[in-house]
Amino acid sequence: MYEGEITIRPTRRGDLENVRTLWNDGDVMKFVGFPEGLGETAESMERWYDRIESNRPSLDHFSVFAEGIGYCGESFYRIDAKHGNAAVLDIKLFSKARGRGIAAKALQCAIEQAFKNGAACVWVDPNPENEKALALYRRMGFCEREMPAYLAQDEVFGGCPALYFEISREAFISSKTAK
């Protein structure tokens, strides 16, 4: 388990090169269907960041740093007001930061912020082959459910296989107090 200090903060414009490097890393992106990375440019990252800035707090993106490691990756949430304020979560870490408990802390931060900003529940859609992610979500109290119909048709999954795990505000609070 990682013993150093972890910093998780809203992504700033100065973090864009870190995020771009993360997204262009095939090892990071393989479980979401992009084994060669996304091929993002500096310009596309600027446009993406402008969308984040203009939609906070209904969505937010966080940069994760760890003492002795540096930039580790990201966490993210987006609250969907059209579908009962369910919030999608995402996390991506470089391999150097995996298996150290950093992902759990980064997810916890995104979950707390999503609930603070009006989410009724939060969900993730891991690739069924990503065994480490599945184990993490289960440890954090997420339960596998049937994917809602509106998501099953959503092109966000891009043909990549995905499961659906969800946790309510109440279950999240209970899981935190049980520890």
Side-chain angles (χ1 to χ4, degrees), residues 14 18 128 173:
N18 287 332
I173 292 168

Side-chain angles (χ1 to χ4, degrees), residues 2-22:
Y2 179 77
E3 297 296 326
E5 184 176 329
I6 298 171
T7 302
I8 303 161
R9 60 168 170 73
T11 297
R12 303 172 184 156
R13 196 169 296 277
D15 298 321
L16 291 183
E17 186 57 29
N18 287 332
V19 178
R20 185 169 83 92
T21 301
L22 183 77

Side-chain angles (χ1 to χ4, degrees), residues 31 91 98 103 107 124-140 142 163 165:
F31 284 118
I91 184 160
R98 296 180 200 148
L107 273 175
V124 292
D125 60 337
N127 183 311
E129 295 177 11
N130 192 344
E131 295 174 14
K132 290 182 179 183
L134 298 175
L136 171 63
Y137 298 135
R138 288 180 177 121
R139 275 194 315 273
M140 292 187 74
F142 282 81
L163 300 173
F165 285 77

